Protein backbone atom coordinates (compact mmCIF):
# COMPACT_ATOMS: atom_id res chain seq x y z
CA UNK A 1 0.00 0.00 0.00
CA UNK A 2 2.85 2.36 0.87
CA UNK A 3 4.43 1.75 -2.56
CA UNK A 4 1.06 2.39 -4.22
CA UNK A 5 0.59 5.63 -2.22
CA UNK A 6 4.07 6.83 -3.13
CA UNK A 7 3.36 6.03 -6.78
CA UNK A 8 0.10 7.98 -6.65
CA UNK A 9 1.93 10.97 -5.08
CA UNK A 10 4.63 10.82 -7.74
CA UNK A 11 2.03 10.74 -10.49
CA UNK A 12 0.16 13.65 -8.92
CA UNK A 13 3.36 15.69 -8.56
CA UNK A 14 4.35 14.96 -12.16
CA UNK A 15 0.89 15.97 -13.30
CA UNK A 16 1.15 19.21 -11.31
CA UNK A 17 4.54 20.07 -12.84
CA UNK A 18 3.33 19.11 -16.29
CA UNK A 19 0.21 21.20 -15.81
CA UNK A 20 2.30 24.18 -14.75
CA UNK A 21 4.48 23.81 -17.83
CA UNK A 22 1.44 23.50 -20.06
CA UNK A 23 -0.15 26.53 -18.42
CA UNK A 24 3.05 28.52 -18.86
CA UNK A 25 3.21 27.48 -22.49
CA UNK A 26 -0.44 28.32 -22.93
CA UNK A 27 0.16 31.79 -21.49
CA UNK A 28 3.00 32.35 -23.94
CA UNK A 29 0.86 31.07 -26.81
CA UNK A 30 -2.03 33.25 -25.72
CA UNK A 31 0.28 36.24 -25.59
CA UNK A 32 1.53 35.47 -29.09
CA UNK A 33 -2.02 34.83 -30.34
CA UNK A 34 -3.17 38.19 -28.94
CA UNK A 35 -1.19 39.88 -31.70
CA UNK A 36 -3.38 40.20 -34.79
CA UNK A 37 -0.12 40.60 -36.72
CA UNK A 38 3.52 41.17 -35.84
CA UNK A 39 4.58 44.70 -36.68
CA UNK A 40 7.93 44.75 -38.43
CA UNK A 41 10.65 47.30 -37.67
CA UNK A 42 14.33 47.62 -38.47
CA UNK A 43 16.56 48.99 -35.73
CA UNK A 44 20.10 50.09 -36.44
CA UNK A 45 23.05 50.11 -34.06
CA UNK A 46 25.77 52.67 -34.61
CA UNK A 47 28.82 50.41 -34.70
CA UNK A 48 29.77 47.16 -36.42
CA UNK A 49 30.22 45.08 -34.33
CA UNK A 50 28.29 46.93 -31.61
CA UNK A 51 29.81 48.13 -28.38
CA UNK A 52 28.21 47.06 -25.11
CA UNK A 53 26.43 50.41 -24.74
CA UNK A 54 24.65 49.89 -28.09
CA UNK A 55 23.22 46.44 -27.33
CA UNK A 56 19.81 47.44 -25.96
CA UNK A 57 18.00 46.31 -29.17
CA UNK A 58 19.62 42.86 -28.93
CA UNK A 59 18.63 42.49 -25.27
CA UNK A 60 15.09 43.69 -26.00
CA UNK A 61 14.77 41.12 -28.77
CA UNK A 62 16.27 38.16 -26.88
CA UNK A 63 14.27 38.80 -23.70
CA UNK A 64 11.00 39.11 -25.61
CA UNK A 65 10.33 42.80 -24.90
CA UNK A 66 9.64 43.48 -28.58
CA UNK A 67 7.56 40.34 -29.09
CA UNK A 68 5.23 41.03 -26.18
CA UNK A 69 4.39 44.31 -27.91
CA UNK A 70 3.69 42.53 -31.20
CA UNK A 71 6.92 43.81 -32.76
CA UNK A 72 9.16 41.74 -35.02
CA UNK A 73 12.46 43.64 -34.78
CA UNK A 74 15.32 43.20 -37.23
CA UNK A 75 18.57 44.59 -35.78
CA UNK A 76 21.20 45.78 -38.25
CA UNK A 77 24.59 47.45 -37.89
CA UNK A 78 26.01 50.65 -39.37
CA UNK A 79 29.62 51.73 -39.76
CA UNK A 80 29.30 54.68 -37.41
CA UNK A 81 26.35 56.79 -36.30
CA UNK A 82 27.36 59.58 -38.68
CA UNK A 83 27.79 57.28 -41.69
CA UNK A 84 26.03 58.03 -44.95
CA UNK A 85 24.09 54.77 -44.83
CA UNK A 86 22.76 55.52 -41.36
CA UNK A 87 21.68 59.03 -42.41
CA UNK A 88 19.99 57.62 -45.51
CA UNK A 89 18.10 55.05 -43.44
CA UNK A 90 16.90 57.80 -41.11
CA UNK A 91 15.82 60.08 -43.95
CA UNK A 92 14.01 57.31 -45.83
CA UNK A 93 12.27 56.02 -42.73
CA UNK A 94 13.63 52.54 -43.37
CA UNK A 95 15.25 52.11 -39.94
CA UNK A 96 15.13 53.44 -36.42
CA UNK A 97 18.67 54.78 -35.90
CA UNK A 98 20.81 57.06 -33.78
CA UNK A 99 20.40 60.65 -34.95
CA UNK A 100 22.08 63.84 -33.79
CA UNK A 101 21.60 67.56 -33.74
CA UNK A 102 24.17 68.17 -36.50
CA UNK A 103 22.30 66.09 -39.09
CA UNK A 104 19.02 67.74 -38.10
CA UNK A 105 20.62 71.19 -38.23
CA UNK A 106 21.82 70.43 -41.74
CA UNK A 107 18.30 69.66 -42.91
CA UNK A 108 17.69 65.97 -42.18
CA UNK A 109 13.98 65.59 -41.53
CA UNK A 110 14.25 63.39 -38.46
CA UNK A 111 13.66 63.77 -34.74
CA UNK A 112 15.03 62.09 -31.63
CA UNK A 113 12.49 60.45 -29.33
CA UNK A 114 14.47 58.18 -27.00
CA UNK A 115 17.89 58.67 -25.45
CA UNK A 116 19.60 55.28 -25.33
CA UNK A 117 22.65 56.68 -23.54
CA UNK A 118 22.64 60.37 -22.61
CA UNK A 119 26.18 60.35 -21.20
CA UNK A 120 29.32 59.43 -23.10
CA UNK A 121 30.80 56.10 -21.94
CA UNK A 122 34.21 56.38 -23.60
CA UNK A 123 37.67 57.17 -22.36
CA UNK A 124 40.20 58.76 -24.72
CA UNK A 125 43.12 56.33 -24.68
CA UNK A 126 46.56 57.25 -25.91
CA UNK A 127 49.98 55.76 -26.53
CA UNK A 128 52.44 55.55 -23.60
CA UNK A 129 54.41 58.71 -24.45
CA UNK A 130 51.33 60.99 -24.33
CA UNK A 131 50.68 62.49 -20.92
CA UNK A 132 48.71 65.67 -21.70
CA UNK A 133 46.47 66.94 -24.48
CA UNK A 134 49.33 69.15 -25.69
CA UNK A 135 51.32 65.98 -26.44
CA UNK A 136 48.82 65.13 -29.19
CA UNK A 137 50.40 67.69 -31.50
CA UNK A 138 51.66 65.92 -34.61
CA UNK A 139 50.20 62.57 -33.54
CA UNK A 140 47.95 60.16 -35.43
CA UNK A 141 44.42 60.26 -34.06
CA UNK A 142 41.41 58.10 -34.86
CA UNK A 143 38.69 59.28 -37.24
CA UNK A 144 36.71 56.02 -37.17
CA UNK A 145 32.92 56.11 -37.20
CA UNK A 146 32.37 58.50 -40.08
CA UNK A 147 35.75 60.10 -40.84
CA UNK A 148 35.83 63.90 -40.70
CA UNK A 149 32.73 64.97 -38.77
CA UNK A 150 32.30 61.54 -37.19
CA UNK A 151 32.31 60.90 -33.46
CA UNK A 152 35.99 60.08 -32.98
CA UNK A 153 37.02 63.05 -35.11
CA UNK A 154 34.81 65.39 -33.08
CA UNK A 155 36.08 64.08 -29.75
CA UNK A 156 39.69 64.36 -30.90
CA UNK A 157 38.96 67.94 -31.91
CA UNK A 158 37.57 68.72 -28.45
CA UNK A 159 40.63 67.31 -26.70
CA UNK A 160 42.95 69.25 -29.00
CA UNK A 161 40.97 72.42 -28.26
CA UNK A 162 41.50 71.90 -24.53
CA UNK A 163 45.22 72.40 -25.20
CA UNK A 164 44.76 75.33 -27.59
CA UNK A 165 45.30 73.13 -30.65
CA UNK A 166 43.19 72.57 -33.77
CA UNK A 167 42.44 69.57 -35.97
CA UNK A 168 45.27 70.76 -38.23
CA UNK A 169 47.78 70.09 -35.44
CA UNK A 170 47.22 66.32 -35.63
CA UNK A 171 46.76 63.67 -38.31
CA UNK A 172 43.33 62.04 -38.33
CA UNK A 173 43.23 58.48 -39.67
CA UNK A 174 39.88 57.16 -40.98
CA UNK A 175 39.27 53.44 -40.58
CA UNK A 176 36.57 50.90 -39.83
CA UNK A 177 35.23 51.11 -36.28
CA UNK A 178 36.40 47.54 -35.64
CA UNK A 179 39.98 48.80 -36.06
CA UNK A 180 39.94 51.19 -33.10
CA UNK A 181 41.35 48.87 -30.45
CA UNK A 182 43.85 46.90 -32.60
CA UNK A 183 45.03 50.14 -34.21
CA UNK A 184 45.92 51.62 -30.83
CA UNK A 185 47.54 48.45 -29.50
CA UNK A 186 49.62 48.09 -32.69
CA UNK A 187 50.72 51.74 -32.62
CA UNK A 188 48.99 52.62 -35.89
CA UNK A 189 47.19 55.44 -34.08
CA UNK A 190 48.16 57.39 -30.97
CA UNK A 191 44.74 58.36 -29.66
CA UNK A 192 41.20 57.03 -29.86
CA UNK A 193 37.93 57.12 -27.93
CA UNK A 194 37.30 53.63 -26.58
CA UNK A 195 34.27 52.14 -24.89
CA UNK A 196 34.70 50.57 -21.42
CA UNK A 197 35.05 46.99 -22.66
CA UNK A 198 37.80 48.05 -25.07
CA UNK A 199 39.52 50.12 -22.37
CA UNK A 200 39.60 46.94 -20.30
CA UNK A 201 40.99 44.88 -23.19
CA UNK A 202 43.48 47.57 -24.20
CA UNK A 203 45.01 47.71 -20.72
CA UNK A 204 45.03 43.93 -20.60
CA UNK A 205 46.89 43.67 -23.91
CA UNK A 206 49.16 46.67 -23.43
CA UNK A 207 49.31 47.96 -19.83
CA UNK A 208 51.45 50.97 -20.80
CA UNK A 209 48.53 52.64 -22.63
CA UNK A 210 47.13 55.71 -20.85
CA UNK A 211 43.65 57.10 -20.29
CA UNK A 212 44.04 60.77 -21.15
CA UNK A 213 40.51 61.81 -20.17
CA UNK A 214 37.03 60.43 -19.64
CA UNK A 215 34.89 62.08 -22.31
CA UNK A 216 31.99 62.55 -19.89
CA UNK A 217 34.32 64.63 -17.70
CA UNK A 218 35.45 66.69 -20.68
CA UNK A 219 31.90 67.27 -21.96
CA UNK A 220 29.43 66.34 -19.19
CA UNK A 221 26.41 67.88 -20.94
CA UNK A 222 26.98 66.35 -24.38
CA UNK A 223 24.10 64.20 -25.67
CA UNK A 224 25.78 60.96 -26.72
CA UNK A 225 23.24 58.63 -28.32
CA UNK A 226 19.56 59.10 -29.06
CA UNK A 227 17.32 57.09 -31.33
CA UNK A 228 15.20 58.93 -33.84
CA UNK A 229 13.07 58.49 -36.93
CA UNK A 230 11.91 60.48 -39.92
CA UNK A 231 9.17 63.03 -39.32
CA UNK A 232 6.95 61.20 -41.81
CA UNK A 233 7.39 57.93 -39.93
CA UNK A 234 6.57 59.55 -36.58
CA UNK A 235 3.40 61.01 -38.07
CA UNK A 236 2.47 57.76 -39.81
CA UNK A 237 3.10 55.16 -37.07
CA UNK A 238 3.72 56.85 -33.74
CA UNK A 239 2.44 53.82 -31.82
CA UNK A 240 5.02 51.47 -33.34
CA UNK A 241 7.90 53.82 -32.53
CA UNK A 242 6.57 54.39 -29.01
CA UNK A 243 6.33 50.65 -28.37
CA UNK A 244 9.77 49.95 -29.85
CA UNK A 245 11.29 52.55 -27.53
CA UNK A 246 9.37 51.09 -24.58
CA UNK A 247 10.83 47.65 -25.33
CA UNK A 248 14.35 49.09 -25.30
CA UNK A 249 13.65 51.02 -22.09
CA UNK A 250 12.83 47.66 -20.52
CA UNK A 251 16.08 46.28 -21.92
CA UNK A 252 18.09 49.12 -20.39
CA UNK A 253 16.48 48.51 -17.03
CA UNK A 254 17.34 44.81 -17.30
CA UNK A 255 21.02 45.78 -17.71
CA UNK A 256 20.81 47.32 -14.23
CA UNK A 257 18.73 44.65 -12.52
CA UNK A 258 19.54 41.31 -14.16
CA UNK A 259 23.20 41.32 -15.17
CA UNK A 260 23.49 37.51 -15.26
CA UNK A 261 20.68 37.25 -17.81
CA UNK A 262 21.95 39.96 -20.16
CA UNK A 263 25.67 39.09 -20.18
CA UNK A 264 25.36 36.08 -22.57
CA UNK A 265 23.21 38.14 -24.94
CA UNK A 266 25.74 40.98 -25.00
CA UNK A 267 28.67 38.59 -25.37
CA UNK A 268 27.07 37.15 -28.49
CA UNK A 269 26.15 40.54 -29.96
CA UNK A 270 29.53 42.18 -29.39
CA UNK A 271 31.88 39.24 -29.75
CA UNK A 272 33.66 40.44 -26.59
CA UNK A 273 34.79 38.08 -23.80
CA UNK A 274 32.69 37.72 -20.66
CA UNK A 275 35.12 39.55 -18.36
CA UNK A 276 35.21 42.60 -20.64
CA UNK A 277 31.40 42.64 -20.98
CA UNK A 278 30.93 42.42 -17.22
CA UNK A 279 33.44 45.24 -16.69
CA UNK A 280 31.57 47.41 -19.20
CA UNK A 281 28.14 46.74 -17.68
CA UNK A 282 29.44 47.69 -14.25
CA UNK A 283 30.91 50.93 -15.62
CA UNK A 284 27.82 51.86 -17.65
CA UNK A 285 25.37 51.25 -14.82
CA UNK A 286 27.55 52.86 -12.12
CA UNK A 287 27.92 56.08 -14.12
CA UNK A 288 24.27 56.13 -15.36
CA UNK A 289 25.36 56.02 -19.00
CA UNK A 290 22.33 53.98 -20.05
CA UNK A 291 19.00 55.72 -19.57
CA UNK A 292 16.33 54.12 -17.41
CA UNK A 293 13.54 56.38 -18.68
CA UNK A 294 13.26 58.68 -21.71
CA UNK A 295 16.91 59.72 -21.66
CA UNK A 296 16.20 63.16 -23.16
CA UNK A 297 16.36 66.57 -21.50
CA UNK A 298 15.94 70.06 -22.97
CA UNK A 299 19.06 71.27 -21.16
CA UNK A 300 21.35 68.56 -22.52
CA UNK A 301 19.90 68.92 -26.02
CA UNK A 302 20.36 72.70 -25.95
CA UNK A 303 23.96 72.44 -24.75
CA UNK A 304 24.78 69.98 -27.53
CA UNK A 305 23.21 72.20 -30.21
CA UNK A 306 25.15 75.23 -28.93
CA UNK A 307 28.39 73.24 -28.88
CA UNK A 308 27.85 72.12 -32.47
CA UNK A 309 27.15 75.71 -33.55
CA UNK A 310 30.24 76.99 -31.72
CA UNK A 311 32.39 74.42 -33.51
CA UNK A 312 30.91 75.22 -36.93
CA UNK A 313 29.19 71.85 -37.35
CA UNK A 314 25.92 73.77 -37.63
CA UNK A 315 25.66 77.29 -39.00
CA UNK A 316 25.01 79.57 -36.03
CA UNK A 317 22.07 81.32 -37.66
CA UNK A 318 20.56 77.97 -38.65
CA UNK A 319 20.85 76.13 -35.36
CA UNK A 320 17.66 74.11 -34.81
CA UNK A 321 15.47 74.75 -31.76
CA UNK A 322 15.41 72.08 -29.08
CA UNK A 323 11.88 71.00 -30.06
CA UNK A 324 13.01 70.35 -33.63
CA UNK A 325 15.77 68.02 -32.46
CA UNK A 326 13.93 66.08 -29.75
CA UNK A 327 10.34 64.91 -29.42
CA UNK A 328 9.91 64.96 -25.65
CA UNK A 329 6.21 64.10 -25.81
CA UNK A 330 6.88 60.85 -27.66
CA UNK A 331 9.69 60.01 -25.23
CA UNK A 332 7.25 60.46 -22.35
CA UNK A 333 4.72 58.20 -24.06
CA UNK A 334 7.36 55.49 -24.41
CA UNK A 335 8.21 55.70 -20.70
CA UNK A 336 4.53 55.35 -19.80
CA UNK A 337 4.26 52.34 -22.12
CA UNK A 338 7.20 50.80 -20.23
CA UNK A 339 5.35 51.10 -16.94
CA UNK A 340 6.12 54.68 -15.99
CA UNK A 341 9.28 56.42 -14.76
CA UNK A 342 11.66 54.66 -12.37
CA UNK A 343 14.86 55.39 -10.47
CA UNK A 344 17.61 52.77 -10.33
CA UNK A 345 20.22 53.79 -7.79
CA UNK A 346 21.22 57.34 -8.70
CA UNK A 347 20.09 56.93 -12.30
CA UNK A 348 16.93 58.81 -13.27
CA UNK A 349 17.32 59.96 -16.91
Amino acid sequence: MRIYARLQCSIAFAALIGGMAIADGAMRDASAQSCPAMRKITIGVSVAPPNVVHTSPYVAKELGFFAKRCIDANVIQFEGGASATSAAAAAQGSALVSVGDVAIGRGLKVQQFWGLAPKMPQAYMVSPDIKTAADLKGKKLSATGGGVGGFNWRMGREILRSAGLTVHDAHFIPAATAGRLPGLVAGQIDGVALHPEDVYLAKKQKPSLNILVQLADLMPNYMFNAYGASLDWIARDRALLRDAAAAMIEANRAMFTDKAKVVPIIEKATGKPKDAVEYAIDALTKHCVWSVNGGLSPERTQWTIDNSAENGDIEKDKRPPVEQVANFALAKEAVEAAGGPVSLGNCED
Side-chain angles (χ1 to χ4, degrees):
M1 291 291 292
R2 288 195 188 96
I3 293 173
Y4 177 77
R6 286 191 192 120
L7 180 59
Q8 289 293 93
C9 288
S10 297
I11 292 170
F13 181 73
L16 174 63
I17 296 299
M20 291 172 64
I22 291 169
D24 182 59
M27 288 177 65
R28 286 197 300 269
D29 291 343
S31 176
Q33 290 169 7
S34 68
C35 297
M38 295 299 286
R39 298 173 293 170
K40 294 185 179 295
I41 192 170
T42 298
I43 300 178
V45 295
S46 298
V47 181
N51 293 103
V52 173
V53 73
H54 297 126
T55 55
S56 303
Y58 294 94
V59 173
K61 184 170 183 174
E62 291 297 321
L63 295 185
F65 298 144
F66 286 126
K68 80 175 186 178
R69 293 178 170 84
C70 303
I71 297 174
D72 179 9
N74 176 37
V75 184
I76 62 173
Q77 301 171 6
F78 291 106
E79 190 56 53
S83 67
T85 51
S86 179
Q92 295 165 5
S94 59
L96 177 57
V97 299
S98 173
V99 298
D101 61 295
V102 172
I104 295 169
R106 292 177 179 176
L108 195 64
K109 303 298 184 183
V110 299
Q111 197 175 37
Q112 300 171 350
F113 62 88
W114 178 59
L116 162 73
K119 298 180 182 179
M120 289 189 286
Q122 302 93 335
Y124 203 81
M125 290 204 77
V126 292
S127 53
D129 58 322
I130 297 172
K131 308 300 182 185
T132 69
D135 296 334
L136 294 176
K137 186 172 183 178
K139 301 296 185 179
K140 303 185 295 294
L141 307 183
S142 172
T144 57
V148 174
F151 180 79
N152 246 290
W153 183 88
R154 295 180 74 190
M155 294 304 108
R157 179 186 61 187
E158 290 293 333
I159 295 170
L160 289 167
R161 283 185 62 196
S162 72
L165 302 173
T166 74
V167 291
H168 304 295
D169 290 309
H171 307 288
F172 282 89
I173 312 298
T177 51
R180 290 173 300 184
L181 174 59
L184 181 65
V185 172
Q188 296 168 344
I189 53 175
D190 299 300
V192 59
L194 291 182
H195 287 257
E197 65 274 19
D198 286 337
V199 169
Y200 175 87
L201 293 171
K203 293 292 285 185
K204 191 174 181 179
Q205 295 174 37
K206 193 173 181 179
S208 59
L209 293 170
N210 300 317
I211 293 178
L212 185 62
V213 66
Q214 292 286 341
L215 295 185
D217 292 337
L218 180 70
M219 303 171 72
N221 297 314
Y222 182 83
M223 181 66 206
F224 171 58
N225 189 294
Y227 269 102
S230 70
L231 299 180
D232 287 344
W233 194 1
I234 293 173
R236 182 178 69 251
D237 205 345
R238 187 183 186 94
L240 173 60
L241 298 174
R242 176 202 65 211
D243 292 346
M248 292 189 287
I249 289 171
E250 280 200 83
N252 272 16
R253 293 172 181 176
M255 315 279 205
F256 285 80
T257 61
D258 205 342
K259 180 179 173 182
K261 185 176 289 186
V262 303
V263 165
I265 300 169
I266 296 175
E267 279 186 82
K268 180 181 177 182
T270 62
K272 301 293 183 182
K274 182 179 180 180
D275 55 346
V277 168
E278 291 180 330
Y279 175 89
I281 292 174
D282 289 343
L284 295 169
T285 54
K286 177 182 178 181
H287 297 293
C288 303
V289 171
W290 276 313
S291 64
V292 297
N293 293 303
L296 299 176
S297 76
E299 296 78 15
R300 187 178 290 276
T301 303
Q302 185 66 67
W303 188 95
T304 306
I305 294 168
D306 292 342
N307 177 260
S308 297
E310 181 184 349
N311 285 314
D313 299 318
I314 301 173
E315 293 182 40
K316 288 187 177 182
D317 60 348
K318 293 183 180 179
R319 71 179 73 187
V322 167
E323 294 76 13
Q324 182 180 338
V325 173
N327 191 323
F328 301 104
L330 183 50
K332 183 178 180 181
E333 291 169 24
V335 173
E336 292 302 325
V342 302
S343 297
L344 295 177
N346 296 323
C347 306
E348 298 179 343
D349 284 342

